[in-house]
């Protein structure tokens, strides 16, 4: 599986305008099993209450059923469970979305495919939410620049409520520039529209993408 993703990454890098028409087949039983193994077992459960340990009790049957639903386009993500956590440096709280365990598997698998393509387009100076990079890496690079070069200004900017207001239509349009696999796009669209469960009440997700999930 890693070899297939590496080939996609190579094509994406060598051909910046390449459009990928066949991707959904990468959501194989093998990949889904790998994603299950990579997920942490001590994270909070989604609205169905299923943990990694419980899912693992019938892992082969569960993964094969999940794979079949993806290939038949019958897969429908569950609503994410919304909780609130303290926001550092203020009295405000940050909304956190906790997907169902099975949806975490699919999100991780899809993110691997997207990363193989779009990682090639990012600048080396970009650190946010990229695999193998962290805030500490960004701080080290910033420190190196400040200490070794002539710097007059350091600008700190933030987009207020960015994740809460991501436009789904524009998100899909951006993806469609390089991805022409309609089935994969439909799966991603369903993730965005899965909805939110807060204090037992379902809320449609017309915009935004929950922080806490992978997609």
């Amino acid at each position: 599986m890693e070899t297939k993703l590496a080939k996609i990454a190579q094509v994406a890098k060598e051909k910046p305008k390449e459009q990928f028409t066949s991707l959904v087949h990468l959501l194989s039983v093998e990949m889904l099993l790998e994603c299950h193994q990579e997920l942490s077992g001590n994270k909070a459960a989604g609205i169905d209450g299923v943990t990694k340990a419980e899912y693992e009790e019938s892992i082969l049957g569960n993964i094969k059923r999940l794979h079949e639903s993806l290939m038949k386009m019958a897969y429908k993500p569950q609503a994410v469970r919304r909780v609130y956590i303290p926001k550092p440096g203020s009295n405000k709280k940050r909304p956190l979305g906790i997907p169902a365990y099975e949806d975490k598997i699919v999100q991780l698998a899809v993110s691997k495919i997207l990363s193989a393509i779009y990682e090639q387009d990012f600048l080396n100076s970009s650190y946010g939410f990229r695999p193998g990079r962290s805030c500490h890496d960004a701080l080290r690079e910033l420190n190196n620049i400040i200490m070794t070069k002539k710097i007059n200004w350091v600008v700190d900017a933030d987009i207020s409520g960015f994740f809460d207001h991501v436009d789904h239509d524009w998100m899909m349009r951006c993806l469609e520039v390089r991805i022409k696999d309609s089935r994969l796009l439909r799966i991603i669209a369903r993730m965005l529209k899965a909805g939110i469960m807060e204090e037992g009440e379902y809320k449609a997700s017309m915009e935004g993408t929950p922080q806490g999930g992978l997609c």
Side-chain angles (χ1 to χ4, degrees):
M1 183 52 60
E2 292 300 324
T3 302
K4 292 180 180 179
L5 292 175
K7 288 181 178 178
I8 289 175
Q10 183 178 354
V11 172
K13 184 175 183 179
E14 294 176 351
K15 301 178 180 180
K17 294 185 179 181
E18 181 75 10
Q19 295 180 322
F20 295 86
T21 58
S22 180
L23 294 170
V24 80
H25 71 278
L26 296 172
L27 299 175
S28 62
V29 170
E30 177 190 2
M31 175 182 262
L32 297 173
L33 276 170
E34 286 181 3
C35 291
H36 160 71
Q37 292 165 358
E38 291 177 21
L39 287 170
S40 172
N42 59 2
K43 300 294 184 179
I47 62 172
D48 58 359
V50 176
T51 64
K52 179 176 182 177
E54 292 170 336
Y55 193 83
E56 205 164 47
E57 291 176 0
S58 303
I59 185 60
L60 290 179
N62 286 334
I63 290 295
K64 287 180 179 178
R65 175 183 49 76
L66 174 59
H67 174 257
E68 184 178 352
S69 70
L70 287 165
M71 295 303 103
K72 290 183 176 180
M73 296 308 299
Y75 168 73
K76 292 184 179 180
Q78 299 183 63
V80 300
R81 181 167 68 89
R82 172 168 283 176
V83 297
Y84 291 87
I85 60 174
K87 189 173 183 179
S90 73
N91 294 325
K92 297 180 180 179
K93 290 190 175 183
R94 185 190 304 276
L96 189 69
I98 304 173
Y101 183 75
E102 195 163 75
D103 295 331
K104 292 179 184 178
I105 294 175
V106 178
Q107 287 184 12
L108 181 54
V110 170
S111 73
K112 286 177 179 287
I113 297 172
L114 297 181
S115 292
I117 298 171
Y118 291 101
E119 266 295 301
Q120 318 314 315
D121 295 336
F122 286 116
L123 298 175
N124 192 49
S125 57
S126 173
Y127 286 85
F129 301 97
R130 294 180 64 186
R133 297 189 174 210
S134 67
C135 294
H136 296 294
D137 295 322
L139 289 172
R140 276 192 291 269
E141 179 62 20
L142 180 61
N143 179 70
N144 179 58
I145 293 172
I146 292 175
M147 297 302 293
T148 61
K149 298 182 180 181
K150 185 178 180 180
I151 301 296
N152 294 320
W153 297 94
V154 175
V155 179
D156 179 17
D158 186 23
I159 301 176
S160 178
F162 172 78
F163 289 101
D164 296 331
H165 301 290
V166 170
D167 187 296
H168 292 173
D169 290 336
W170 276 108
M171 173 71 77
M172 297 307 299
R173 289 186 194 182
C174 289
L175 292 174
E176 288 166 5
V177 172
R178 301 210 71 182
I179 297 176
K180 294 300 180 183
D181 187 329
S182 61
R183 294 201 297 167
L184 183 63
L185 290 171
R186 283 170 61 190
I187 290 171
I188 295 172
R190 289 177 183 180
M191 290 178 178
L192 292 172
K193 299 293 186 183
I196 297 165
M197 189 70 72
E198 184 175 351
E199 296 182 348
E201 181 181 351
Y202 174 82
K203 298 179 181 179
S205 48
M206 305 305 295
E207 63 175 2
T209 174
Q211 297 183 67
L214 295 168
C215 291

